Amino acid sequence: MSLFTTELRRLVKRRFVRYMTLAGLLVLLAVVAGTFLTNEKIGRDQIAAAERTAEQEYQNNLRYTAEARQDCERAKAAGDQTDRYPADCADISDPPREAFQAEWYMPATFEFRKEFGETVTTLAAILALVGFVVGASFVGAEWSTGGMMNLLLWRPRRLQVLLTKLAALLAAMLALTVVSAAAWTAAFWAIGTMRGNTDGMTSGTWQSFALTGLRGAVLVLAAAAVGFAVASLGRHTALALGGAIGLIVVGQFGLGILLSMANVAFVEAWLLPTYLLAWMNKSITLENWNACNFSMGQCEPDTLELTWQHSSALIGVALVLSLGAAMWAMRSRDIT
């Protein structure tokens, strides 16, 4: 039996890997169920109900306006000089009917073409978290239990063993991602059919969704590889998980608070989630409202656009540094 097949079986049979994967899938299932339950298909009954609600809100506002005018007239007649009311009570005018549109009172409905792309980002984020933890625990447990040392007695080629483990991890995560993405697409297509609409789908739209899914798969594999590399470098799962928690708590929240207190422009440009969103959405535009450029009496904030190219550079650097350090440590440090 080949080393790759052995490592793949070892990964699949680990109970923690199974439990973590199951937990991730249950979260995804909860998202699907929540979306199904909070949306409904728009038909004649829903349109009629929305029109009735809009008319009721309009009539209520007419009544409130009439009462306000009467209160104003009584206050003026009593000699009330407060500024609660305008100088002329006639200035309290009725709201226009067009301010109460029926579509504003429609129930939530799932439009597949407009909303499915955002759900792909959710899928990628959850699977990336699963990949990071699974990758860290896979190699971390091998080091902490002594399994790595026993394996190297059988296969003394250190880098070959490490990279084969990484290949088995990436293959398993890729398979999980592909299967999950197919089921995810089918589930939300069903939601669009039963609780919304699937109108406007073209080959170009499907291609855009496919590219978003491809970027999501790359993110999942990158997260798994980084978790694997950090745990291998520290020879313990806790180092990777502790480092991730430290990055989130200190490196993100703490840094964000510090930069905000220093009035740094575009604070989000220093935070990791911004680049992950830019990677999934192809680009993201940040706004700095502290620097207003007044145009025709309106505040126009300064903007900064981050693209997937910026994110790819960050992801590439993280992979090169973490995997390079793990391979160097594997080759140079004693196996004890």
Side-chain angles (χ1 to χ4, degrees):
M1 185 179 295
S2 69
L3 180 60
F4 175 82
T5 304
T6 302
E7 293 301 327
L8 191 58
R9 291 184 60 183
R10 191 194 305 271
L11 172 66
V12 174
K13 288 183 178 295
R14 284 185 55 81
R15 284 182 295 178
F16 180 82
V17 171
R18 293 182 178 182
Y19 293 154
M20 187 64 196
T21 303
L22 178 60
L25 294 178
L26 288 177
V27 172
L28 294 176
L29 182 60
V31 172
V32 172
T35 305
F36 180 85
L37 295 175
T38 55
N39 288 274
E40 61 180 280
K41 201 172 187 66
I42 300 299
R44 293 182 178 178
D45 293 340
Q46 288 76 17
I47 295 175
E51 291 176 344
R52 288 194 299 270
T53 302
E55 180 62 26
Q56 182 180 3
E57 289 296 320
Y58 174 63
Q59 295 299 330
N60 288 338
N61 276 268
L62 287 179
R63 186 173 65 255
Y64 298 151
T65 303
E67 293 174 355
R69 275 198 301 267
Q70 293 174 2
D71 292 341
C72 176
E73 291 170 355
R74 284 195 293 268
K76 297 295 183 183
D80 189 349
Q81 301 297 323
T82 63
D83 56 357
R84 290 185 302 164
Y85 300 104
D88 188 354
C89 295
D91 292 339
I92 304 177
S93 58
D94 295 333
R97 180 62 180 85
E98 58 270 16
F100 301 87
Q101 300 293 327
E103 55 264 27
W104 298 346
Y105 302 94
M106 292 286 189
T109 186
F110 185 79
E111 298 184 45
F112 187 88
R113 185 174 185 273
K114 293 181 179 180
E115 301 179 45
F116 180 67
E118 297 179 0
T119 70
V120 176
T121 301
T122 302
L123 172 67
I126 294 173
L127 290 182
L129 177 60
V130 172
F132 182 89
V133 176
V134 167
S137 67
F138 179 43
V139 70
E142 291 289 294
W143 282 113
S144 60
T145 60
M148 182 69 78
M149 286 75 82
N150 294 332
L151 179 58
L152 289 174
L153 292 175
W154 175 54
R155 282 291 184 94
R157 298 181 178 180
R158 298 182 178 190
L159 291 184
Q160 182 185 21
V161 170
L162 184 68
L163 293 179
T164 302
K165 285 182 175 292
L166 177 61
L169 169 68
L170 297 182
M173 289 306 305
L174 180 60
L176 175 64
T177 302
V178 171
V179 173
S180 300
W184 190 260
T185 304
F188 278 96
W189 181 264
I191 291 174
T193 302
M194 294 184 290
R195 312 287 276 187
N197 66 77
T198 57
D199 301 337
M201 293 301 298
T202 63
S203 59
T205 304
W206 282 114
Q207 182 180 4
S208 177
F209 287 159
L211 291 175
T212 303
L214 179 60
R215 290 193 298 274
V218 171
L219 181 61
V220 172
L221 297 182
V226 170
F228 178 92
V230 175
S232 179
L233 184 62
R235 299 188 177 185
H236 206 286
T237 305
L239 180 66
L241 300 183
I245 294 174
L247 176 64
I248 294 173
V249 175
V250 179
Q252 298 300 300
F253 293 118
L255 180 61
I257 294 173
L258 180 62
L259 294 177
S260 298
M261 293 175 60
N263 294 322
V264 175
F266 306 112
V267 173
E268 297 88 348
W270 297 90
L271 305 180
L272 179 61
T274 302
Y275 290 89
L276 299 183
L277 284 175
W279 170 258
M280 291 301 301
N281 298 333
K282 293 192 294 186
S283 67
I284 185 172
T285 301
L286 307 180
E287 297 179 340
N288 179 25
W289 289 93
N290 292 327
C292 282
N293 299 314
F294 285 94
S295 175
M296 299 181 66
Q298 295 183 345
C299 174
E300 296 293 337
D302 289 342
T303 59
L304 174 65
E305 184 178 19
L306 299 176
T307 66
W308 68 269
Q309 289 91 340
H310 298 102
S311 301
S312 63
L314 181 63
I315 294 173
V317 169
L319 285 174
V320 169
L321 291 179
S322 59
L323 290 176
M327 293 171 64
W328 173 83
M330 183 69 169
R331 186 171 182 177
S332 62
R333 290 168 62 184
D334 291 334
I335 306 299
T336 58

